[in-house]
PDB file of all heavy atoms in Angstrom:
ATOM      1  N   GLY A 158     -88.517  39.153 -69.124  1.00  0.00           N
ATOM      2  CA  GLY A 158     -88.042  39.534 -67.796  1.00  0.00           C
ATOM      3  C   GLY A 158     -87.260  40.826 -67.845  1.00  0.00           C
ATOM      4  O   GLY A 158     -86.446  41.049 -68.741  1.00  0.00           O
ATOM      5  N   GLY A 159     -87.546  41.718 -66.878  1.00  0.00           N
ATOM      6  CA  GLY A 159     -86.814  42.971 -66.801  1.00  0.00           C
ATOM      7  C   GLY A 159     -87.368  44.071 -67.672  1.00  0.00           C
ATOM      8  O   GLY A 159     -86.700  45.077 -67.902  1.00  0.00           O
ATOM      9  N   GLY A 160     -88.604  43.916 -68.151  1.00  0.00           N
ATOM     10  CA  GLY A 160     -89.203  44.936 -69.002  1.00  0.00           C
ATOM     11  C   GLY A 160     -89.629  46.167 -68.227  1.00  0.00           C
ATOM     12  O   GLY A 160     -89.660  46.176 -66.994  1.00  0.00           O
ATOM     13  N   HIS A 161     -90.005  47.200 -68.966  1.00  0.00           N
ATOM     14  CA  HIS A 161     -90.401  48.451 -68.317  1.00  0.00           C
ATOM     15  C   HIS A 161     -91.868  48.468 -67.897  1.00  0.00           C
ATOM     16  O   HIS A 161     -92.315  49.374 -67.200  1.00  0.00           O
ATOM     17  CB  HIS A 161     -90.091  49.651 -69.204  1.00  0.00           C
ATOM     18  CG  HIS A 161     -90.646  49.574 -70.593  1.00  0.00           C
ATOM     19  ND1 HIS A 161     -91.965  49.302 -70.891  1.00  0.00           N
ATOM     20  CD2 HIS A 161     -90.029  49.733 -71.795  1.00  0.00           C
ATOM     21  CE1 HIS A 161     -92.147  49.313 -72.195  1.00  0.00           C
ATOM     22  NE2 HIS A 161     -90.984  49.554 -72.775  1.00  0.00           N
ATOM     23  N   GLY A 162     -92.646  47.469 -68.365  1.00  0.00           N
ATOM     24  CA  GLY A 162     -94.024  47.343 -67.917  1.00  0.00           C
ATOM     25  C   GLY A 162     -95.020  48.242 -68.614  1.00  0.00           C
ATOM     26  O   GLY A 162     -96.222  48.140 -68.379  1.00  0.00           O
ATOM     27  N   GLU A 163     -94.561  49.110 -69.494  1.00  0.00           N
ATOM     28  CA  GLU A 163     -95.472  50.022 -70.187  1.00  0.00           C
ATOM     29  C   GLU A 163     -96.019  49.347 -71.428  1.00  0.00           C
ATOM     30  O   GLU A 163     -95.269  48.835 -72.248  1.00  0.00           O
ATOM     31  CB  GLU A 163     -94.733  51.304 -70.571  1.00  0.00           C
ATOM     32  CG  GLU A 163     -94.175  52.067 -69.376  1.00  0.00           C
ATOM     33  CD  GLU A 163     -93.338  53.246 -69.814  1.00  0.00           C
ATOM     34  OE1 GLU A 163     -93.293  53.530 -71.031  1.00  0.00           O
ATOM     35  OE2 GLU A 163     -92.708  53.876 -68.938  1.00  0.00           O
ATOM     36  N   LYS A 164     -97.340  49.374 -71.564  1.00  0.00           N
ATOM     37  CA  LYS A 164     -97.960  48.741 -72.717  1.00  0.00           C
ATOM     38  C   LYS A 164     -97.658  49.551 -73.973  1.00  0.00           C
ATOM     39  O   LYS A 164     -97.732  50.772 -73.975  1.00  0.00           O
ATOM     40  CB  LYS A 164     -99.472  48.609 -72.519  1.00  0.00           C
ATOM     41  CG  LYS A 164     -99.852  47.624 -71.433  1.00  0.00           C
ATOM     42  CD  LYS A 164    -101.351  47.429 -71.373  1.00  0.00           C
ATOM     43  CE  LYS A 164    -101.714  46.377 -70.319  1.00  0.00           C
ATOM     44  NZ  LYS A 164    -103.172  46.145 -70.246  1.00  0.00           N
ATOM     45  N   LYS A 165     -97.329  48.836 -75.049  1.00  0.00           N
ATOM     46  CA  LYS A 165     -97.019  49.519 -76.298  1.00  0.00           C
ATOM     47  C   LYS A 165     -98.288  49.914 -77.022  1.00  0.00           C
ATOM     48  O   LYS A 165     -99.386  49.436 -76.727  1.00  0.00           O
ATOM     49  CB  LYS A 165     -96.160  48.627 -77.191  1.00  0.00           C
ATOM     50  CG  LYS A 165     -96.825  47.331 -77.628  1.00  0.00           C
ATOM     51  CD  LYS A 165     -95.871  46.512 -78.481  1.00  0.00           C
ATOM     52  CE  LYS A 165     -96.532  45.191 -78.908  1.00  0.00           C
ATOM     53  NZ  LYS A 165     -95.622  44.391 -79.746  1.00  0.00           N
ATOM     54  N   ALA A 166     -98.128  50.806 -77.980  1.00  0.00           N
ATOM     55  CA  ALA A 166     -99.262  51.264 -78.788  1.00  0.00           C
ATOM     56  C   ALA A 166     -99.789  50.103 -79.617  1.00  0.00           C
ATOM     57  O   ALA A 166     -99.085  49.121 -79.866  1.00  0.00           O
ATOM     58  CB  ALA A 166     -98.824  52.401 -79.696  1.00  0.00           C
ATOM     59  N   PRO A 167    -101.048  50.173 -80.059  1.00  0.00           N
ATOM     60  CA  PRO A 167    -101.602  49.096 -80.884  1.00  0.00           C
ATOM     61  C   PRO A 167    -100.737  48.825 -82.103  1.00  0.00           C
ATOM     62  O   PRO A 167    -100.106  49.720 -82.660  1.00  0.00           O
ATOM     63  CB  PRO A 167    -102.974  49.654 -81.294  1.00  0.00           C
ATOM     64  CG  PRO A 167    -103.315  50.642 -80.223  1.00  0.00           C
ATOM     65  CD  PRO A 167    -102.011  51.235 -79.793  1.00  0.00           C
ATOM     66  N   ASP A 168    -100.685  47.568 -82.484  1.00  0.00           N
ATOM     67  CA  ASP A 168     -99.892  47.130 -83.627  1.00  0.00           C
ATOM     68  C   ASP A 168    -100.568  47.595 -84.908  1.00  0.00           C
ATOM     69  O   ASP A 168    -101.634  47.104 -85.283  1.00  0.00           O
ATOM     70  CB  ASP A 168     -99.779  45.599 -83.606  1.00  0.00           C
ATOM     71  CG  ASP A 168     -98.820  45.067 -84.644  1.00  0.00           C
ATOM     72  OD1 ASP A 168     -98.662  45.715 -85.685  1.00  0.00           O
ATOM     73  OD2 ASP A 168     -98.236  43.995 -84.397  1.00  0.00           O
ATOM     74  N   ALA A 169     -99.934  48.531 -85.608  1.00  0.00           N
ATOM     75  CA  ALA A 169    -100.546  49.088 -86.814  1.00  0.00           C
ATOM     76  C   ALA A 169    -100.719  48.018 -87.884  1.00  0.00           C
ATOM     77  O   ALA A 169    -101.714  48.008 -88.611  1.00  0.00           O
ATOM     78  CB  ALA A 169     -99.678  50.227 -87.359  1.00  0.00           C
ATOM     79  N   GLN A 170     -99.750  47.096 -87.961  1.00  0.00           N
ATOM     80  CA  GLN A 170     -99.858  46.030 -88.953  1.00  0.00           C
ATOM     81  C   GLN A 170    -101.061  45.141 -88.657  1.00  0.00           C
ATOM     82  O   GLN A 170    -101.824  44.786 -89.547  1.00  0.00           O
ATOM     83  CB  GLN A 170     -98.584  45.197 -88.975  1.00  0.00           C
ATOM     84  CG  GLN A 170     -98.601  44.090 -90.040  1.00  0.00           C
ATOM     85  CD  GLN A 170     -97.361  43.235 -89.985  1.00  0.00           C
ATOM     86  OE1 GLN A 170     -96.778  43.039 -88.932  1.00  0.00           O
ATOM     87  NE2 GLN A 170     -96.945  42.700 -91.118  1.00  0.00           N
ATOM     88  N   ARG A 171    -101.283  44.816 -87.354  1.00  0.00           N
ATOM     89  CA  ARG A 171    -102.414  43.981 -86.978  1.00  0.00           C
ATOM     90  C   ARG A 171    -103.725  44.687 -87.292  1.00  0.00           C
ATOM     91  O   ARG A 171    -104.669  44.104 -87.822  1.00  0.00           O
ATOM     92  CB  ARG A 171    -102.325  43.670 -85.485  1.00  0.00           C
ATOM     93  CG  ARG A 171    -103.481  42.811 -84.962  1.00  0.00           C
ATOM     94  CD  ARG A 171    -103.509  42.850 -83.450  1.00  0.00           C
ATOM     95  NE  ARG A 171    -103.701  44.204 -82.973  1.00  0.00           N
ATOM     96  CZ  ARG A 171    -103.263  44.643 -81.805  1.00  0.00           C
ATOM     97  NH1 ARG A 171    -102.566  43.855 -81.007  1.00  0.00           N
ATOM     98  NH2 ARG A 171    -103.481  45.891 -81.434  1.00  0.00           N
TER      99      ARG A 171
END
Side-chain angles (χ1 to χ4, degrees):
H161 53 52
E163 299 174 6
K164 292 186 177 181
K165 63 181 179 180
D168 188 331
Q170 182 183 31
R171 179 194 60 208

